[in-house]
């Protein structure tokens, strides 16, 4: 089983739609969780951290289910500018120090 | 407010040539990282430096060497470039080596080995 798995997509949605991405991770001892956004030919940028109680930042909501080892990202009222690849990232203690494990990403395309 | 700066942005090499990719951060971060990103493979850690004076191998270190020159700078060297090293290279940094810290990325070096 891969350490961090994501549906590669692409997810093609119309403007205004709600879209959800899922991510599973294999290491039950994982301690930190993030969503990054990567635009085409650009560097990954932190979108939001994911907390155990779930957290929201504007149109974006992240959820963590430790029992199922599952992370989700919900985007409401999609904008054209949300088109990007979304990377699920998990931090593990006990492995290489400071090692964040990156999923391969889910591609989102928001259409007019 | 530069953050993480990488040079060069683009480079084309011939097989067997050597080069050094430079990375500098101005956020007073302790830890720095080098990744490569290939289509379908995601980001893979090459080497990292938890603090000034230390370096460690990541997932794919073969064919690379690194130097943590000081707290700000972390360079990646290809001694004898191979076509398999054609990739996009990202440098990143965070405040400490603990994995609860998000990493901040430079804008990448696109390297082609012919």
């Amino acid at each position: 089983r891969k350490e961090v798995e994501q549906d590669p997509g692409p997810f093609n949605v119309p403007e205004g739609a709600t879209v959800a991405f899922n991510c599973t991770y294999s290491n039950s001892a994982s301690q930190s969780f993030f969503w990054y956004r990567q635009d085409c030919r650009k560097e990954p940028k932190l979108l939001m951290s994911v907390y155990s109680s779930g957290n929201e930042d504007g149109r974006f909501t992240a959820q963590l289910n430790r029992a199922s080892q599952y992370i989700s990202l919900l985007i409401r009222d999609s904008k054209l500018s949300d088109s990007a690849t979304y990377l699920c990232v998990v931090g593990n203690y006990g492995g290489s120090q400071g090692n964040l494990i990156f999923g391969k990403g889910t591609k989102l395309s928001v259409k007019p | 407010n530069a953050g993480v700066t990488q040079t060069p942005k683009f480079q084309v090499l011939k097989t067997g040539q050597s080069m050094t990719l430079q990375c500098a951060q101005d956020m007073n971060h302790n830890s720095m990282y080098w990744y490569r990103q290939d289509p379908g493979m995601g980001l893979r850690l090459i080497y990292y430096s938890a603090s000034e004076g230390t370096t460690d191998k990541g997932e794919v270190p073969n064919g690379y060497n690194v130097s943590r020159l000081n707290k700000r700078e972390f360079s990646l060297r290809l001694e004898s470039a191979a076509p398999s090293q054609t990739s996009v290279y990202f440098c990143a940094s965070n405040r400490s080596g603990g994995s609860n810290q998000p990493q901040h990325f430079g804008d990448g070096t696109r390297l082609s080995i012919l």
Side-chain angles (χ1 to χ4, degrees):
Chain A
R1 181 180 175 184
K2 295 176 183 173
E3 291 199 64
V4 179
E5 289 199 68
Q6 296 181 250
D7 182 339
F11 283 57
N12 297 308
V13 303
E15 269 188 296
T18 295
V19 61
F21 305 136
N22 302 321
C23 168
T24 57
Y25 60 95
S26 60
N27 187 343
S28 59
S30 296
Q31 293 294 322
S32 58
F33 310 91
F34 309 96
W35 283 101
Y36 276 69
R37 170 195 170 125
Q38 187 171 23
D39 293 290
C40 187
R41 300 182 66 80
K42 298 288 188 181
E43 74 275 21
K45 292 184 178 178
L46 178 67
L47 179 66
M48 59 196 303
S49 301
V50 186
Y51 302 118
S52 296
S53 55
N55 49 298
E56 187 173 307
D57 183 1
R59 297 182 292 109
F60 299 84
T61 301
Q63 296 282 348
L64 169 64
N65 184 322
R66 286 188 183 273
S68 300
Q69 295 178 211
Y70 169 99
I71 307 157
S72 65
L73 177 68
L74 183 76
I75 305 176
R76 292 182 299 278
D77 189 22
S78 300
K79 311 291 185 193
L80 295 176
S81 57
D82 293 335
S83 296
T85 296
Y86 290 83
L87 307 178
C88 174
V89 183
V90 174
N92 294 330
Y93 292 116
S96 300
Q97 187 183 11
N99 197 359
L100 296 183
I101 310 299
F102 287 79
K104 295 181 181 179
T106 298
K107 187 172 182 179
L108 172 65
S109 181
V110 182
K111 306 293 187 184
Chain B
N1 189 15
V4 180
T5 303
Q6 292 184 234
T7 55
K9 299 271 190 286
F10 303 92
Q11 185 71 49
V12 179
L13 294 177
K14 294 181 180 178
T15 298
Q17 287 186 314
S18 62
M19 81 161 294
T20 299
L21 280 60
Q22 306 287 352
C23 175
Q25 52 88 12
D26 62 3
M27 296 176 282
N28 201 33
H29 285 169
N30 291 305
S31 301
M32 298 184 74
Y33 310 82
W34 276 106
Y35 292 90
R36 60 179 290 175
Q37 187 174 37
D38 303 291
M41 298 296 293
L43 280 160
R44 292 184 291 170
L45 183 65
I46 305 171
Y47 270 93
Y48 67 98
S49 170
S51 60
E52 187 178 354
T54 69
T55 61
D56 284 285
K57 294 178 181 179
E59 180 186 355
V60 288
N62 291 343
Y64 305 96
N65 286 300
V66 290
S67 296
R68 183 73 183 267
L69 304 170
N70 47 55
K71 190 172 185 179
R72 289 188 63 247
E73 297 173 288
F74 188 37
S75 63
L76 178 71
R77 183 161 178 84
L78 286 71
E79 290 291 351
S80 178
S84 61
Q85 294 177 304
T86 293
S87 189
V88 181
Y89 291 85
F90 289 104
C91 178
S93 70
N94 65 2
R95 187 154 50 91
S96 72
S99 59
N100 62 344
Q101 302 282 330
Q103 295 174 9
H104 301 268
F105 286 79
D107 56 8
T109 295
R110 283 163 178 76
L111 183 61
S112 292
I113 316 295
L114 304 177

